[in-house]
Amino acid sequence: MKFVYPVALWSLLSLAILIMVHFTRRRRNEATISSIYLWRLSESFMKKSAPVRKLKKAVLFSLQILSVLLACLLIAQPLILFPGADVNYVAVLDGSASMRIANAMGETRFSRAKDAIIDDISRLAWGSRAT
């Protein structure tokens, strides 16, 4: 695999920035609560919803990493070259008088050569061009 803009792969460093921001951001906000009852109530609610929040954060973080990775690859524009692809072929067909000689079925050498060239062109690899 090759890239049209391989220098754009430096944009993958943005993944490191994303990971640093994810791990260094502030996790909790401190709040003053006037009653112990409200504290215990909120604490029990936080314990119940903790696994769901952790899963949600993990899924969101993995989606962020995936989107940055895909954006970087799209900027670099990857190319997959197939063997024999993007090759130019030239067919030269003789148009002299000797090519007008017909066989027993009435086909000329010119028409047989033209049909053979068309068959060869149909068997070329994807991406190849013929003239």
Side-chain angles (χ1 to χ4, degrees):
M1 180 186 305
K2 294 184 178 182
F3 295 98
V4 175
Y5 303 110
V7 177
L9 293 177
W10 283 98
S11 62
L12 288 174
L13 292 175
S14 61
L15 281 175
I17 294 170
L18 177 69
I19 291 171
M20 285 187 342
V21 166
H22 178 75
F23 287 116
T24 59
R25 75 172 194 262
R26 199 168 176 185
R27 297 274 183 221
R28 300 174 192 245
N29 294 332
E30 291 186 22
T32 306
I33 297 175
S34 60
S35 173
I36 295 177
Y37 172 74
L38 290 176
W39 178 256
R40 287 185 183 155
L41 183 64
S42 68
E43 189 177 64
S44 67
F45 177 73
M46 296 291 270
K47 284 181 182 177
K48 289 179 185 176
S49 65
V52 174
R53 279 188 287 124
K54 286 181 182 177
L55 179 65
K56 182 179 175 183
K57 286 181 183 180
V59 169
L60 289 175
F61 183 59
S62 60
L63 286 175
Q64 287 172 349
I65 287 178
L66 184 65
S67 64
V68 168
L69 181 67
L70 286 176
C72 294
L73 287 177
L74 286 176
I75 292 170
Q77 294 184 6
L79 293 174
I80 299 173
L81 299 177
F82 296 103
D86 198 28
V87 177
N88 295 321
Y89 294 97
V90 176
V92 179
L93 186 57
D94 184 13
S96 65
S98 65
M99 294 295 284
R100 295 178 192 242
I101 297 174
N103 63 3
M105 294 191 286
E107 291 179 314
T108 63
R109 289 181 180 175
F110 187 83
S111 66
R112 286 183 295 181
K114 183 179 72 171
D115 293 340
I117 290 172
I118 290 172
D119 288 341
D120 289 342
I121 289 173
S122 68
R123 284 186 259 127
L124 288 179
W126 183 86
S128 299
R129 291 180 292 273
T131 304

